[in-house]
Amino acid sequence: NIRGNMTSSRNYTDPTPLGSNGKLTPEQVTSWRKHGYTVVDGLLSDEFARQVAKEAAITLEPLTNHNDFGSMGKLEFPSGMHHCDNVTLHLPFMKAAAQLLDVPVRELRLCQSDIWMKTGVLPKPGVD
């Protein structure tokens, strides 16, 4: 886990820890509302994250040259991959989403859920 103050650069934002009460901090909510994102540490346990990454890597490995959004349907919910599917219904995520939207968890409605790899773009050969 990386913990620290939220610092942003053009390419990176440090995650900040989930509040001690299990809720997002006021700063995280403000970041989401002002900038459209917040980076939070602590919504997934390290073990759960490892299990999801392992399942996703097995499924997404053949897509290493894929440079488009999404998993090409391989990990859209429900995917049949136990841990990957459980990310979508993970109660801490649902509570955070409800907090950001200022609604009870029971009023959330799932529109889309997909897991995909974030990869860097390699420079074209001969281009500096």
Side-chain angles (χ1 to χ4, degrees), residues 17-74:
L18 191 61
S20 60
N21 59 359
K23 293 184 175 184
L24 299 174
T25 65
E27 294 80 14
Q28 291 163 335
V29 173
T30 297
S31 173
W32 184 79
R33 291 185 176 154
K34 184 177 180 182
H35 305 291
Y37 69 91
T38 188
V39 183
V40 181
D41 188 21
L43 286 172
L44 288 179
S45 71
D46 290 345
E47 179 58 27
F48 185 47
R50 276 191 289 277
Q51 292 169 339
V52 171
K54 184 178 178 180
E55 273 187 357
I58 292 166
T59 301
L60 296 176
E61 189 277 327
L63 299 177
T64 55
N65 292 324
H66 175 66
N67 290 324
D68 199 2
F69 174 83
S71 67
M72 307 227 5
K74 293 182 180 283

